[in-house]
Amino acid sequence: NTIDFLFFVCYRALIFPLLIREGKPTPFFTFVLALLFCVFNGYLQGRSLTTYATYPPGWLGDSRFITGILGWLIGMAINIHSDHILRNLRKPGETGYKIPRGGMFEYVSGANFFGEILEWFGFALACCTIESLAFALCTLFILGSRARQHHK
């Protein structure tokens, strides 16, 4: 589970920014808040999984773990594919709003948000810790409100 979390963090922090073309600048205060949240959450998840979480023998074969990992993988695949669709909406130099099509955007207007929410609820199910559930709920409330704004 720690590896899953680290994989996502590496994707979001290292790979994703390199794939973005031109975008809107992020206000410095927003950047600092996001950085602090990520550092605190990363510490909380890592500390929880490496120090406090205990699992019974056979946990990796437990239906909660398997379902959680599948949810995490499906959510990540949706998230990455949706990010790809969003990055390719406009040609270089083009501006204006465009409605994304394809993938999960055919079913939900904020497919990237949906994917990330699914990802972290899968992670929470696989870990079965209060800290991972807290992160999934924070993700739901933060990205859910963003998804609602984007939908409007």
Side-chain angles (χ1 to χ4, degrees), residues 67-83:
T67 304
I69 289 297
L70 286 173
W72 181 82
L73 285 169
I74 292 167
M76 178 169 268
I78 291 169
N79 193 4
I80 290 171
H81 185 251
S82 300
D83 285 345

Side-chain angles (χ1 to χ4, degrees), residues 83-104:
D83 285 345
H84 172 75
I85 290 171
L86 290 171
R87 278 193 311 274
N88 293 297
L89 270 179
R90 294 178 202 87
K91 295 175 182 156
E94 206 174 33
T95 60
Y97 184 78
K98 290 196 174 186
I99 297 174
R101 300 279 184 217
M104 284 299 293

Side-chain angles (χ1 to χ4, degrees), residues 45-145:
Q45 299 304 321
R47 179 80 175 192
S48 166
L49 291 172
T50 60
T51 306
Y52 301 109
T54 57
Y55 299 100
W59 177 251
L60 299 181
D62 187 280
S63 61
R64 291 169 292 181
F65 179 79
I66 292 169
T67 304
I69 289 297
L70 286 173
W72 181 82
L73 285 169
I74 292 167
M76 178 169 268
I78 291 169
N79 193 4
I80 290 171
H81 185 251
S82 300
D83 285 345
H84 172 75
I85 290 171
L86 290 171
R87 278 193 311 274
N88 293 297
L89 270 179
R90 294 178 202 87
K91 295 175 182 156
E94 206 174 33
T95 60
Y97 184 78
K98 290 196 174 186
I99 297 174
R101 300 279 184 217
M104 284 299 293
F105 284 108
E106 297 300 319
Y107 305 99
V108 61
S109 59
N112 52 326
F113 301 125
F114 170 75
E116 193 160 342
I117 291 167
L118 176 60
E119 197 173 335
W120 294 119
F121 272 94
F123 179 78
L125 183 59
C127 294
C128 284
T129 64
I130 193 72
E131 295 85 0
S132 60
L133 177 61
F135 180 42
L137 290 171
C138 281
T139 301
L140 173 65
F141 294 133
I142 292 167
L143 295 185
S145 68

Side-chain angles (χ1 to χ4, degrees), residues 24-63:
K24 298 175 187 170
T26 301
F28 183 72
F29 184 69
T30 303
F31 166 77
V32 170
L33 287 178
L35 178 67
L36 289 174
F37 176 82
C38 289
V39 167
F40 176 73
N41 183 57
Y43 172 78
L44 184 68
Q45 299 304 321
R47 179 80 175 192
S48 166
L49 291 172
T50 60
T51 306
Y52 301 109
T54 57
Y55 299 100
W59 177 251
L60 299 181
D62 187 280
S63 61

